[in-house]
Amino acid sequence: MITLTIAQIAHAIAGEPVLSAADSLDTPVSGAVDTDSRLIGRGDVFVAKPGEHTDGHLFVPAVAEAGAALAIVERIVDAPISQIVVPDVVAALAALAREVVARVRARGDLRIVGITGSNGKTTTKNMLARILEGEAETVAPRASFNNEVGAPLTMLRVTEQTRYLVCEFGASAPGEIARLAGLVEPDIGIVLMVGLAHAGGFGGIEATFHAKSELVRAVRPGGLAVLNADDPRVSQMAPIATERDVRVRWFGRGDTAEVRAGEIEVSATGTATTVTVDGVDHPLRLSVLGAHHVANALAAIAAATALGVAADAAIGRVESLELAERWRMQPLGSDSIRIINDAYNASPDSMAAALRTLAQITGPDERTVAVLGAMSELGEYAEEEHDRVGLLAVRLGIKRIVVIGVDARRMYLEAIAQGSWDGEAVFFATADEAFDYLQGELRAGDRVLVKSSNAAGLRFLGDRLGESVS
């Protein structure tokens, strides 16, 4: 965090400072800000957030002993550390982020990019960060820091030298993206797609559209909206941009997109295409598996070139990215048995994309194996969408379909109904049972996809399988 005095922090978050004997209101604070006490070191700021399973206030004495400079709390804790008392520490965290970014932005050369979409946010964030890091100091989220806590924590990592801030905005209910993006008013807003991810929380696909369009509404006047020309719902956000004096830059496969891709070739070693940027063709070969990641690359390139990065440089840096993120189309195992661990998250769109990728990268003498778990937060669409996945797996000719968990059972039942009744589809209640089965089932030449939402926990099964066949 940039240097602020305790008085300045207290004013920014409308809190009441309670000072330790060693401090005054003019004491400067410049350490990192976090809600995880295990990450707090000397000079840092601890935000004592109450949680479902524990309460951050219990750890204030520990961070004081670790040398923390300040704690932001909802009640005073008996510990030798200066504290600022606020009614709501999460709201205070957001207010502090707004203040810090505003101070750095006043310098005049900070550029802020916000990213949202039902799928692809983290991959696009990593691609864009890789591009911009080659230009100047860039701050981007760790992992998927995109919620009411993670997004402000990312914003608070900016320094006086930061030139680019990349923010990822996720949401499980209307209004969340507006609140988060409103903290920084991005110069560029990227909307990747509108799908059924979190549709249960939003209340349907139209409500999801309105939620994702909140980012376009948050872009500052004179800014830029980078929109997916291939997604009809995202395309409908263009008038919103125009109303706010925000320009539109399109990416996609169609001829109208300023940044577009040609024919896509997918193999076990990556994805190749030709990218046209403002009328000039460039070859692109991604190490990241899956045709669906081409759209993410297009979005990142569209934003970067709008910021003045040369297209060749942007493409070269995207090509250098070997892995989108851990547990996202992550290759594991060996050449003999390849595991693709894509179980950090799942929606109907990403599940379909991953299954298609599995089919595309598997040779004629190799066998496809799909290890599938539940997709979370689909609400009333859950049964229908799990049925669709089971159907798609059969239609794609997946040779072994391993379904895990009661919430995912409809995938198995649909696969059976579609003709996979001769051992091609199996069901297990737990990941441990599935692991034991797969230990005896997998053989040389297998290409194995592990895919589920985070809550299903299959990412750990993917790790176990990768280790077991290495």
Side-chain angles (χ1 to χ4, degrees), residues 3-11 24-29 70 84:
T3 301
L4 296 173
T5 66
I6 291 177
Q8 288 171 327
I9 295 173
H11 181 266
S24 71
L25 289 174
D26 294 327
T27 298
V29 178
L70 181 67
I84 298 178

Side-chain angles (χ1 to χ4, degrees), residues 303-326:
T305 51
L307 288 167
V309 181
D312 284 339
I315 289 169
R317 291 167 194 164
V318 166
E319 289 180 326
S320 73
L321 192 69
E322 296 182 354
L323 179 66
E325 187 83 35
R326 186 183 180 191

Side-chain angles (χ1 to χ4, degrees), residues 149-359:
V149 173
L153 288 178
T154 297
M155 298 168 190
L156 286 165
R157 288 170 44 216
V158 300
T159 71
E160 296 290 356
Q161 290 72 46
T162 301
R163 177 68 187 279
Y164 300 109
L165 170 62
V166 180
C167 297
E168 179 181 338
F169 298 125
S172 57
E176 292 183 21
I177 292 173
R179 286 193 295 273
L180 294 174
L183 299 176
V184 294
E185 294 186 322
D187 299 282
I188 297 178
I190 301 174
V191 185
L192 299 168
M193 64 175 299
V194 175
L196 284 174
H198 309 296
F202 289 120
I205 194 70
E206 290 306 316
T208 304
F209 162 80
H210 290 292
K212 299 305 181 185
S213 68
E214 290 170 7
L215 177 56
V216 178
R217 299 179 190 279
V219 173
R220 58 176 43 204
L224 178 71
V226 175
L227 303 180
N228 185 352
D230 299 336
D231 187 312
R233 291 188 174 87
V234 175
S235 297
Q236 292 173 22
M237 297 180 191
I240 298 173
T242 302
E243 290 171 4
R244 291 188 47 78
D245 189 27
V246 170
R247 295 173 293 115
V248 175
R249 186 164 170 81
W250 297 101
F251 68 92
R253 299 290 302 277
D255 292 340
T256 59
E258 289 97 334
V259 180
R260 62 183 181 273
E263 293 299 315
I264 298 173
E265 297 179 6
V266 179
S267 71
T269 58
T271 308
T273 188
T274 296
V275 175
T276 303
V277 182
D278 298 318
V280 180
D281 292 343
H282 307 264
L284 170 68
R285 181 167 183 82
L286 297 175
S287 297
V288 181
L289 295 176
H292 53 294
H293 287 308
V294 170
N296 301 329
L298 295 178
I301 293 166
T305 51
L307 288 167
V309 181
D312 284 339
I315 289 169
R317 291 167 194 164
V318 166
E319 289 180 326
S320 73
L321 192 69
E322 296 182 354
L323 179 66
E325 187 83 35
R326 186 183 180 191
W327 298 318
R328 288 178 169 87
M329 298 301 287
Q330 180 181 6
L332 300 170
S334 63
D335 290 338
S336 176
I337 301 177
R338 176 63 67 191
I339 310 295
I340 304 170
N341 193 351
D342 193 34
Y344 185 83
N345 220 332
S347 69
D349 294 307
S350 68
M351 187 74 82
L355 284 169
R356 291 191 180 100
T357 299
L358 176 66

Side-chain angles (χ1 to χ4, degrees), residues 130-138 163-164 308-310 313-314 317:
R130 176 62 62 90
I131 295 170
L132 297 178
E133 286 166 355
E135 300 291 312
E137 181 176 302
T138 300
R163 177 68 187 279
Y164 300 109
V309 181
R317 291 167 194 164

